[in-house]
Amino acid sequence: MKTLAINVNPLETRIALLENKKLVELLLEREEDRSIVGNIYKGRVDAVLPGIQAAFIDIGFQKNGFLYVSDVAGAEGTGDIVLENGVPRAKSRKKRARQQTIESMIKKNQHVMVQVVKDRLGSKGPRLTNFITFPGRYQVLLPTVNTLGVSRKIESDRERDRLRKLLRELRPKGMGIISRTACEGRSRQELKGDLDFLLRAWDGVKVKYERAKGVALLREDLGPVLRTVRDLFTAEFDRLVVDSEVEYGRIINFLEQFAPKLKKRVKLYREKRPLFDKMGIESEIEKALRRKVYLKSGGHICIDHTEALIAIDVNTGKFTGKKQLEDTVLQTNLEAADEIARQVRLRDIGGIIVLDFIDMEYPKNRRTLLKGLRDALKSDRARITLSEITELGMIEMTRKRVKHNLVKAMSQPCPYCEGSGMVRSVTTVTFDTLRRLQGLFCKTREKHIILQAHSDVARRLRGENKDLLDAIAKRFKREVSIESVSDFHIHHVRILRARNRDVIEEQDA
């Protein structure tokens, strides 16, 4: 049971994908940070870097785009292409290895047509490709690559053969077509209509490229709502609910042209109560920002982000089970595997992920867990690799993502702990401050100073550690007044001259 729920606000659009009434994916797009994935540009080569076989391309943004050698069309062996998450790639490593060097294909200040395949992430500019793709409702047109393929999700051999034959007849010479899952069961007329639309779009892009004198946007992809309808909304979905009358009209018009049978599954939400609140999605989003996720059994998983990887730890928590310890552990691990698969998809966690399951004694149970995790990850559209379970009960996996993960998209590093989750204790800051005073008294003759500190630190210096402060003041024959400042960071200490309150020294975290 699949549902798409779309909440549209003037500055933000949220699209939720639910499976069996559980939130599994959330797309968030804000006007201030719109995605440019799928956009096609006339770019200018700003720099070619042979050392890493890549180039930086100016596409009109503050950060240059990044183009890797394997993403440049015209390299040797590019006829044998597959789509990986919508990005064309040579099928084998051998073919990628036989490609020409990037410096032999493009030069500095040369103009090239590029398409964005990954938005800017952190300090990195957008990832680009020279393999241009035009996604349609039923197929993807690759005008720069000679290839043909059928979606792996179409399982029927008979249907695959039928589609391959049709695509071979329809494919323009020298171009590529790859069918989408929605292509299944479609007639020749429907496929031709879809392809004709894509070919007209490609002709329009070519004309704009020739006319543009410098860096320019050639084609902007559909907005988040219609892009989701085009890429996801199929007969597998029970319904699509949207709370905007304008977007409802656009969706109906789009489906009228490409999938009229799905129109009856689209519903306009008119109630006063917010859509996401009514469907229980708001609470699920709030939970997705937490470090700890509780399981129905009483166990929980903890998700920690580090610079190099994401660590996910499984704990039994309050769950004690009704049978032997091994059965309790297996049940907790299997439940955790389902929740981990949902959370990495919902949060769009990418990169290296280390899963620390509770150790199990029997190899049979380990195999059961690994199978359960693989099955749970099958519905994830991102490319995933999974290792075997180690002796310590850990599994390593990698997951490819295109956009910002949910936590980064909806939050920012804490200005107090700077993202570490930890601050120095009151005791540590108090003792550091006393040492700083001794150092200051050694290099200044100021007789009377004012020490400003966080209220908790000031309280310690006036109370249980007053004798230490008095001993230092007596030793150096100085006078120290303590002032508490409630809005100071706990690490923040400021020392002033008493006579004119000029700052002598200030120390932050």
Side-chain angles (χ1 to χ4, degrees):
M1 183 177 175
K2 287 186 177 183
T3 302
L4 274 173
I6 302 174
N7 167 231
V8 181
N9 287 305
L11 300 177
E12 178 183 70
T13 297
R14 299 184 299 173
I15 302 172
L17 169 57
L18 294 90
E19 292 179 357
N20 297 320
K21 297 185 178 181
K22 272 191 171 184
L23 180 65
V24 293
E25 287 186 32
L26 180 71
L27 171 67
L28 173 69
E29 186 158 312
R30 291 171 174 155
E31 282 299 312
E32 63 185 30
D33 190 25
R34 293 185 66 182
S35 172
I36 60 171
V37 169
N39 288 2
I40 302 173
Y41 294 88
K42 181 175 185 176
R44 181 187 60 83
V45 180
D46 192 49
V48 179
L49 306 175
I52 57 173
Q53 284 297 291
F56 287 109
I57 312 294
D58 176 13
I59 57 171
F61 292 91
Q62 190 173 1
K63 278 277 183 184
N64 283 342
F66 183 80
L67 178 67
Y68 191 61
V69 64
S70 62
D71 292 319
V72 181
E76 189 179 344
T78 53
D80 196 6
I81 295 291
V82 291
L83 280 186
E84 291 182 4
N85 300 306
V87 182
R89 290 279 186 269
K91 275 187 180 179
S92 65
R93 287 187 178 180
K94 282 185 178 180
K95 286 188 177 294
R96 291 195 291 268
R98 288 203 305 268
Q99 289 178 336
Q100 302 167 35
T101 59
I102 195 160
E103 62 268 29
S104 68
M105 291 187 286
I106 57 175
K107 306 295 180 186
K108 186 174 179 179
N109 293 323
Q110 176 185 341
H111 284 99
V112 291
M113 188 185 295
V114 290
Q115 189 169 29
V116 179
V117 294
K118 186 184 289 188
D119 278 318
R120 179 179 61 83
L121 294 176
S123 60
K124 297 179 181 177
R127 176 77 181 268
L128 308 175
T129 182
N130 185 228
F131 292 106
I132 307 301
T133 60
F134 284 80
R137 175 67 182 172
Y138 305 125
Q139 57 215 314
V140 179
L141 174 68
L142 289 78
T144 61
V145 178
N146 184 14
T147 190
L148 187 144
V150 176
S151 169
R152 294 174 184 173
K153 292 184 179 180
I154 298 175
E155 297 177 353
S156 167
D157 290 336
R158 186 175 179 180
E159 178 64 7
R160 292 177 67 86
D161 290 341
R162 183 187 77 88
L163 288 174
R164 197 171 280 110
K165 182 181 177 182
L166 273 177
L167 294 179
R168 199 173 286 120
E169 293 172 4
L170 294 171
R171 181 178 60 159
K173 187 177 180 181
M175 296 188 186
I177 303 177
I178 295 179
S179 83
R180 310 188 74 160
T181 308
C183 193
E184 188 170 10
R186 299 299 163 186
S187 66
R188 188 182 195 280
Q189 185 179 356
E190 288 175 303
L191 297 184
K192 188 176 185 308
D194 191 38
L195 181 59
D196 288 344
F197 172 80
L198 298 177
L199 288 170
R200 286 194 298 272
W202 169 235
D203 289 339
V205 165
K206 286 190 296 182
V207 169
K208 284 185 178 180
Y209 182 85
E210 293 301 326
R211 289 178 179 173
K213 294 180 179 179
V215 173
L217 172 64
L218 305 177
R219 184 175 190 260
E220 190 171 12
D221 199 13
L222 296 174
V225 174
L226 290 186
R227 189 167 62 236
T228 300
V229 173
R230 179 193 68 193
D231 296 345
L232 290 182
F233 192 50
T234 63
E236 293 179 347
F237 283 81
D238 298 277
R239 60 178 179 147
L240 183 156
V241 189
V242 59
D243 60 7
S244 163
E245 196 162 344
V246 172
E247 291 297 342
Y248 172 79
R250 287 176 180 165
I251 292 168
I252 293 298
N253 288 338
F254 182 87
L255 292 175
E256 180 71 50
Q257 184 178 1
F258 295 106
K261 290 181 181 178
L262 293 178
K263 285 195 303 178
K264 61 184 179 182
R265 303 190 189 191
V266 181
K267 309 295 180 187
L268 175 61
Y269 184 79
R270 298 178 182 272
E271 296 180 29
K272 289 184 178 179
R273 186 179 176 185
L275 173 62
F276 275 27
D277 186 38
K278 174 79 176 287
M279 299 183 71
I281 297 171
E282 292 290 6
S283 60
E284 286 297 312
I285 295 172
E286 193 274 328
K287 288 176 187 176
L289 297 177
R290 296 178 188 170
R291 172 179 175 264
K292 188 179 287 188
V293 180
Y294 290 95
L295 306 174
K296 284 185 178 179
S297 64
H300 63 267
I301 61 173
C302 292
I303 303 172
D304 292 299
H305 294 252
T306 73
E307 192 71 25
L309 51 81
I310 287 87
I312 303 180
D313 185 40
V314 181
N315 299 282
T316 53
K318 298 177 182 178
F319 182 54
T320 55
K322 297 180 180 179
K323 298 180 182 179
Q324 298 180 7
L325 174 62
E326 183 80 0
D327 294 330
T328 301
V329 169
L330 176 60
Q331 188 175 338
T332 304
N333 279 341
L334 287 172
E335 189 180 357
D338 283 337
E339 188 60 35
I340 286 169
R342 184 172 82 97
Q343 289 296 329
V344 296
R345 189 176 168 194
L346 172 58
R347 300 177 188 224
D348 199 21
I349 296 173
I352 300 170
I353 307 167
V354 176
L355 313 176
D356 186 9
F357 287 98
I358 306 164
D359 192 25
M360 294 181 293
E361 184 178 350
Y362 303 118
K364 179 184 176 183
N365 289 342
R366 292 185 178 186
R367 290 193 296 271
T368 300
L369 171 61
L370 191 60
K371 183 181 181 302
L373 180 61
R374 282 200 175 114
D375 290 343
L377 290 167
K378 279 181 180 177
S379 55
D380 196 329
R381 291 180 290 130
R383 182 159 51 92
I384 292 173
T385 60
L386 210 60
S387 73
E388 297 293 324
I389 302 180
T390 68
E391 288 295 320
L392 298 176
M394 290 191 287
I395 296 176
E396 296 172 5
M397 65 178 277
T398 62
R399 183 178 183 273
K400 187 178 179 67
R401 64 180 169 86
V402 173
K403 58 184 186 299
H404 289 283
N405 68 55
L406 190 65
V407 174
K408 288 186 178 179
M410 298 187 68
S411 59
Q412 63 183 33
C414 170
Y416 204 78
C417 70
E418 296 180 340
S420 70
M422 303 287 286
V423 293
R424 279 180 278 171
S425 66
V426 174
T427 302
T428 300
V429 177
T430 302
F431 291 167
D432 283 347
T433 302
L434 291 172
R435 283 191 288 270
R436 189 173 297 121
L437 276 177
Q438 293 182 69
L440 178 67
F441 290 155
C442 288
K443 59 186 179 184
T444 182
R445 295 183 179 182
E446 202 69 38
K447 290 296 183 183
H448 184 190
I449 64 153
I450 298 169
L451 191 150
Q452 294 182 330
H454 184 275
S455 52
D456 290 344
V457 176
R459 195 178 300 116
R460 285 285 296 265
L461 291 170
R462 292 195 195 105
E464 58 193 277
N465 295 131
K466 187 177 185 301
D467 55 340
L468 294 174
L469 178 63
D470 290 345
I472 293 170
K474 184 177 180 181
R475 177 185 168 194
F476 287 93
K477 298 179 183 179
R478 310 293 171 94
E479 186 180 346
V480 181
S481 300
I482 305 296
E483 290 184 359
S484 64
V485 184
S486 59
D487 61 351
F488 263 23
H489 188 296
I490 198 166
H491 297 168
H492 194 169
V493 174
R494 182 188 293 151
I495 300 172
L496 312 172
R497 290 186 176 89
R499 64 178 189 275
N500 56 14
R501 297 185 72 87
D502 286 344
V503 177
I504 302 174
E505 190 174 290
E506 191 162 10
Q507 181 71 38
D508 274 315

